[in-house]
Amino acid sequence: MESLPSEQSAAVRRIVAQHKERPGPLLEVLHAIQASFGYIPGGAVPLVAEELNLSRAEVHGVVSFYHYFRRSRPGAHTVSLCQAESCQSMGAQALAEHAQKRLGIEFHQTTADGRFSLDPVYCLGNCACSPAAMIDGRLHGRLTPEAFDALIAAGKPAT
């Protein structure tokens, strides 16, 4: 298991200390770590386990169970495509296939150049404008493959 640099280790211990006294603090701790680092570094798992008096398996189980938690550094841009029923009925599967082909990655992956991460989400609350996506925290609705390409092109550096 990877070890964390001392400054990251100290940050994880601070995060745990901030949430330790709350009932069932594990999820809050993991959310705070991901907010701080962008993902849950493997080296954080034994620290969290030790500080919360849990087994490494318990912490790893939670990190690996919830798709929201990243176990690797995300790309510079995060693309989340809605896969819920409303979006599915309006072409989300075709949009997802197009996005995967366009970016050259599957869901839960990051492009080789580190520019984009692609994630499925299960409802962005934009059902009236399906299919929907969130790119870098900004909601987009009624996405077509062409509109998706335009949004992705806007996120690429000029060449």
Side-chain angles (χ1 to χ4, degrees):
M1 180 155 298
E2 74 180 86
S3 61
L4 293 177
S6 60
E7 64 277 355
Q8 285 186 340
S9 181
V12 168
R13 289 184 193 281
R14 274 193 306 277
I15 289 168
V16 173
Q18 290 171 349
H19 299 280
K20 191 174 190 171
E21 299 307 317
R22 297 184 52 88
L26 181 56
L27 282 173
E28 289 185 50
V29 166
L30 294 174
H31 279 285
I33 291 170
Q34 183 156 299
S36 179
F37 299 117
Y39 70 111
I40 310 290
V45 170
L47 290 176
V48 170
E50 176 187 327
E51 294 293 318
L52 294 179
N53 196 29
L54 300 169
S55 71
R56 289 180 184 190
E58 288 175 290
V59 177
H60 173 75
V62 171
V63 171
S64 61
F65 178 79
Y66 291 104
H67 291 283
Y68 173 80
F69 293 125
R70 293 181 170 281
R71 291 181 273 169
S72 60
R73 190 175 308 280
H77 302 282
T78 301
V79 178
S80 301
L81 297 178
C82 184
Q83 300 298 290
E85 291 80 2
S86 177
C87 285
Q88 285 293 328
S89 71
M90 296 301 290
Q93 184 171 347
L95 180 62
E97 290 169 4
H98 174 81
Q100 290 171 345
K101 184 177 178 184
R102 172 76 166 76
L103 296 174
I105 56 175
E106 301 290 321
F107 281 133
H108 305 291
Q109 292 182 343
T110 300
T111 57
D113 64 3
R115 298 289 300 155
F116 296 96
S117 291
L118 183 62
D119 296 316
V121 293
Y122 296 92
C123 197
L124 291 167
N126 200 29
C127 302
C129 297
S130 296
M134 186 171 286
I135 302 174
D136 294 337
R138 187 162 181 197
L139 188 60
H140 302 275
R142 295 190 180 104
L143 272 182
T144 62
E146 297 78 20
F148 177 83
D149 289 349
L151 290 168
I152 293 305
K156 290 206 172 187
T159 54

